[in-house]
Amino acid sequence: MSVQERKQRERAERERLIVATARELAEEQGWDAVTTRRLAERIEYSQPVLYSHFRGKREITGAVALQGAAELAAELRRASTEAEAGAGAGASASVEGVRGRVTALARAYLDFAERNPAVYDAMFQLDGGLAFAAEDTPEALKDGFAALLETLRDVAGEGVEPGLFTEVFWASLHGLATLTRARRLPVGDAERRVWLLVSRLAVV
């Protein structure tokens, strides 16, 4: 390994540590607790070293958001694939098979938001300097949307643009996630809400 390659690997490892530590601190104490000073103390780097990787908290938040988007996309695809496999050959194309995939997708999304509140905030509530729904939207965010679209395009309904339907379905999931977390919805009805969302909004 050349000196340049070693330096690049060490830099990438430092960046991973910074992002992982920021994420851990945010999940433990909230994003207000994430400062460059506290991060430097936790990982035993100087603040100038942190600033050599990220220009500040905003960029660190954006890096956590991109990591979260990649993880969410993977979980959505896994949930849909497992539901399809569980339906069995031929059954996955049936009404119940399609509904099962959409239901699994919705559950996986809501579970991710519940398990990773700080990451979810970084993705959708905080300013991480990331563009959404634009030409310069990062690939990880585009892939997160694509993971929804891959399953939801089958239930958009005749004459409905699949991307637009996916936006509406996503907005519904986001609303459920944020309202549930804020305790604006009664607890204990999560499964019924998913059932209503899938059975009334998705055309299967």
Side-chain angles (χ1 to χ4, degrees), residues 159-185:
V160 178
E161 201 279 306
L164 187 63
F165 175 81
T166 300
E167 290 172 357
V168 173
F169 199 95
W170 173 29
S172 299
L173 289 174
H174 177 69
L176 288 175
T178 55
L179 290 171
T180 299
R181 182 172 154 201
R183 300 190 181 278
R184 298 297 192 268
L185 296 175

Short mmCIF file of all heavy atoms in Angstrom, two decimals, residues 159-185:
data_model
loop_
_atom_site.label_atom_id
_atom_site.label_comp_id
_atom_site.label_asym_id
_atom_site.label_seq_id
_atom_site.Cartn_x
_atom_site.Cartn_y
_atom_site.Cartn_z
N GLY A 159 -53.74 5.02 -14.28
CA GLY A 159 -53.76 6.45 -14.55
C GLY A 159 -53.04 7.30 -13.52
O GLY A 159 -53.02 8.53 -13.63
N VAL A 160 -52.45 6.68 -12.51
CA VAL A 160 -51.74 7.42 -11.46
C VAL A 160 -50.24 7.26 -11.68
O VAL A 160 -49.74 6.14 -11.83
CB VAL A 160 -52.12 6.91 -10.06
CG1 VAL A 160 -51.33 7.67 -8.99
CG2 VAL A 160 -53.61 7.05 -9.83
N GLU A 161 -49.53 8.36 -11.71
CA GLU A 161 -48.08 8.33 -11.92
C GLU A 161 -47.44 7.71 -10.68
O GLU A 161 -47.63 8.19 -9.56
CB GLU A 161 -47.58 9.75 -12.15
CG GLU A 161 -46.23 9.83 -12.85
CD GLU A 161 -45.09 9.61 -11.88
OE1 GLU A 161 -45.03 10.32 -10.88
OE2 GLU A 161 -44.26 8.70 -12.15
N PRO A 162 -46.68 6.61 -10.83
CA PRO A 162 -46.13 5.90 -9.67
C PRO A 162 -45.27 6.75 -8.75
O PRO A 162 -45.32 6.60 -7.53
CB PRO A 162 -45.31 4.78 -10.31
CG PRO A 162 -45.97 4.54 -11.63
CD PRO A 162 -46.42 5.90 -12.09
N GLY A 163 -44.49 7.66 -9.33
CA GLY A 163 -43.66 8.52 -8.50
C GLY A 163 -44.49 9.43 -7.62
O GLY A 163 -44.17 9.64 -6.44
N LEU A 164 -45.56 9.97 -8.18
CA LEU A 164 -46.44 10.85 -7.41
C LEU A 164 -47.14 10.06 -6.30
O LEU A 164 -47.26 10.53 -5.16
CB LEU A 164 -47.48 11.49 -8.34
CG LEU A 164 -48.38 12.56 -7.73
CD1 LEU A 164 -47.56 13.75 -7.27
CD2 LEU A 164 -49.43 12.99 -8.74
N PHE A 165 -47.60 8.85 -6.63
CA PHE A 165 -48.23 8.00 -5.63
C PHE A 165 -47.25 7.69 -4.50
O PHE A 165 -47.60 7.73 -3.31
CB PHE A 165 -48.72 6.70 -6.25
CG PHE A 165 -49.28 5.74 -5.23
CD1 PHE A 165 -50.56 5.90 -4.75
CD2 PHE A 165 -48.50 4.70 -4.74
CE1 PHE A 165 -51.07 5.03 -3.79
CE2 PHE A 165 -49.00 3.84 -3.79
CZ PHE A 165 -50.28 4.00 -3.31
N THR A 166 -45.99 7.40 -4.86
CA THR A 166 -44.98 7.09 -3.86
C THR A 166 -44.75 8.28 -2.95
O THR A 166 -44.57 8.12 -1.73
CB THR A 166 -43.67 6.66 -4.54
OG1 THR A 166 -43.92 5.49 -5.34
CG2 THR A 166 -42.58 6.35 -3.52
N GLU A 167 -44.76 9.49 -3.50
CA GLU A 167 -44.61 10.69 -2.68
C GLU A 167 -45.73 10.80 -1.64
O GLU A 167 -45.48 11.11 -0.47
CB GLU A 167 -44.60 11.93 -3.56
CG GLU A 167 -43.35 12.08 -4.41
CD GLU A 167 -43.45 13.22 -5.42
OE1 GLU A 167 -44.51 13.86 -5.50
OE2 GLU A 167 -42.46 13.46 -6.11
N VAL A 168 -46.96 10.52 -2.07
CA VAL A 168 -48.11 10.63 -1.16
C VAL A 168 -48.03 9.54 -0.09
O VAL A 168 -48.28 9.80 1.10
CB VAL A 168 -49.44 10.53 -1.95
CG1 VAL A 168 -50.62 10.46 -1.01
CG2 VAL A 168 -49.58 11.73 -2.89
N PHE A 169 -47.69 8.33 -0.49
CA PHE A 169 -47.58 7.22 0.47
C PHE A 169 -46.46 7.51 1.46
O PHE A 169 -46.62 7.31 2.68
CB PHE A 169 -47.31 5.92 -0.29
CG PHE A 169 -47.63 4.69 0.51
CD1 PHE A 169 -48.86 4.07 0.38
CD2 PHE A 169 -46.70 4.14 1.38
CE1 PHE A 169 -49.17 2.91 1.10
CE2 PHE A 169 -46.99 2.99 2.11
CZ PHE A 169 -48.23 2.39 1.97
N TRP A 170 -45.32 7.98 0.96
CA TRP A 170 -44.19 8.34 1.81
C TRP A 170 -44.61 9.44 2.80
O TRP A 170 -44.29 9.37 4.00
CB TRP A 170 -43.03 8.78 0.94
CG TRP A 170 -41.84 9.35 1.66
CD1 TRP A 170 -41.42 9.06 2.92
CD2 TRP A 170 -40.93 10.33 1.16
NE1 TRP A 170 -40.29 9.78 3.24
CE2 TRP A 170 -39.98 10.56 2.18
CE3 TRP A 170 -40.83 11.01 -0.06
CZ2 TRP A 170 -38.93 11.48 2.01
CZ3 TRP A 170 -39.78 11.91 -0.22
CH2 TRP A 170 -38.84 12.13 0.80
N ALA A 171 -45.31 10.45 2.31
CA ALA A 171 -45.76 11.54 3.19
C ALA A 171 -46.67 11.00 4.30
O ALA A 171 -46.61 11.46 5.45
CB ALA A 171 -46.50 12.61 2.38
N SER A 172 -47.50 10.02 3.97
CA SER A 172 -48.37 9.41 4.97
C SER A 172 -47.54 8.67 6.02
O SER A 172 -47.81 8.79 7.23
CB SER A 172 -49.35 8.44 4.30
OG SER A 172 -50.16 9.12 3.37
N LEU A 173 -46.55 7.91 5.58
CA LEU A 173 -45.68 7.21 6.52
C LEU A 173 -44.92 8.19 7.40
O LEU A 173 -44.80 7.99 8.62
CB LEU A 173 -44.69 6.33 5.76
CG LEU A 173 -45.25 5.09 5.07
CD1 LEU A 173 -44.16 4.41 4.25
CD2 LEU A 173 -45.84 4.11 6.08
N HIS A 174 -44.42 9.25 6.79
CA HIS A 174 -43.68 10.26 7.55
C HIS A 174 -44.59 10.92 8.60
O HIS A 174 -44.17 11.14 9.74
CB HIS A 174 -43.11 11.32 6.61
CG HIS A 174 -42.40 12.43 7.32
ND1 HIS A 174 -41.21 12.24 7.98
CD2 HIS A 174 -42.74 13.74 7.50
CE1 HIS A 174 -40.82 13.39 8.52
NE2 HIS A 174 -41.73 14.31 8.25
N GLY A 175 -45.80 11.20 8.21
CA GLY A 175 -46.75 11.79 9.16
C GLY A 175 -47.02 10.86 10.32
O GLY A 175 -47.04 11.28 11.48
N LEU A 176 -47.23 9.58 10.03
CA LEU A 176 -47.46 8.60 11.10
C LEU A 176 -46.24 8.51 12.01
O LEU A 176 -46.38 8.46 13.24
CB LEU A 176 -47.77 7.23 10.50
CG LEU A 176 -49.15 7.06 9.86
CD1 LEU A 176 -49.26 5.68 9.22
CD2 LEU A 176 -50.26 7.26 10.89
N ALA A 177 -45.06 8.50 11.42
CA ALA A 177 -43.84 8.38 12.21
C ALA A 177 -43.65 9.56 13.14
O ALA A 177 -43.39 9.41 14.34
CB ALA A 177 -42.62 8.23 11.28
N THR A 178 -43.82 10.76 12.61
CA THR A 178 -43.56 11.95 13.42
C THR A 178 -44.67 12.22 14.44
O THR A 178 -44.40 12.60 15.58
CB THR A 178 -43.37 13.18 12.52
OG1 THR A 178 -44.50 13.33 11.65
CG2 THR A 178 -42.13 13.06 11.67
N LEU A 179 -45.92 11.99 14.06
CA LEU A 179 -47.02 12.21 15.00
C LEU A 179 -47.03 11.17 16.12
O LEU A 179 -47.34 11.50 17.27
CB LEU A 179 -48.35 12.19 14.25
CG LEU A 179 -48.62 13.39 13.33
CD1 LEU A 179 -49.87 13.14 12.50
CD2 LEU A 179 -48.74 14.68 14.13
N THR A 180 -46.67 9.95 15.80
CA THR A 180 -46.59 8.91 16.82
C THR A 180 -45.48 9.22 17.81
O THR A 180 -45.67 9.14 19.03
CB THR A 180 -46.36 7.53 16.17
OG1 THR A 180 -47.45 7.23 15.31
CG2 THR A 180 -46.24 6.45 17.24
N ARG A 181 -44.33 9.61 17.29
CA ARG A 181 -43.20 9.93 18.17
C ARG A 181 -43.49 11.13 19.05
O ARG A 181 -43.07 11.18 20.21
CB ARG A 181 -41.97 10.19 17.30
CG ARG A 181 -40.73 10.50 18.11
CD ARG A 181 -39.54 10.55 17.19
NE ARG A 181 -38.50 11.39 17.72
CZ ARG A 181 -37.54 11.94 16.99
NH1 ARG A 181 -37.52 11.73 15.70
NH2 ARG A 181 -36.62 12.67 17.55
N ALA A 182 -44.22 12.09 18.53
CA ALA A 182 -44.56 13.29 19.31
C ALA A 182 -45.75 13.05 20.23
O ALA A 182 -46.20 13.96 20.92
CB ALA A 182 -44.88 14.45 18.35
N ARG A 183 -46.26 11.81 20.23
CA ARG A 183 -47.41 11.43 21.06
C ARG A 183 -48.65 12.27 20.74
O ARG A 183 -49.44 12.61 21.63
CB ARG A 183 -47.05 11.51 22.55
CG ARG A 183 -45.89 10.60 22.93
CD ARG A 183 -45.70 10.51 24.43
NE ARG A 183 -44.57 9.65 24.76
CZ ARG A 183 -44.62 8.32 24.82
NH1 ARG A 183 -45.76 7.70 24.55
NH2 ARG A 183 -43.56 7.62 25.15
N ARG A 184 -48.78 12.58 19.46
CA ARG A 184 -49.98 13.27 19.00
C ARG A 184 -51.07 12.30 18.57
O ARG A 184 -52.17 12.69 18.26
CB ARG A 184 -49.64 14.21 17.84
CG ARG A 184 -48.66 15.32 18.17
CD ARG A 184 -49.20 16.27 19.23
NE ARG A 184 -48.40 17.46 19.36
CZ ARG A 184 -47.39 17.61 20.22
NH1 ARG A 184 -47.05 16.60 21.00
NH2 ARG A 184 -46.72 18.74 20.28
N LEU A 185 -50.70 11.01 18.51
CA LEU A 185 -51.65 9.96 18.18
C LEU A 185 -51.74 9.00 19.35
O LEU A 185 -50.74 8.77 20.04
CB LEU A 185 -51.19 9.19 16.93
CG LEU A 185 -51.12 9.98 15.62
CD1 LEU A 185 -50.52 9.10 14.53
CD2 LEU A 185 -52.49 10.48 15.21
#
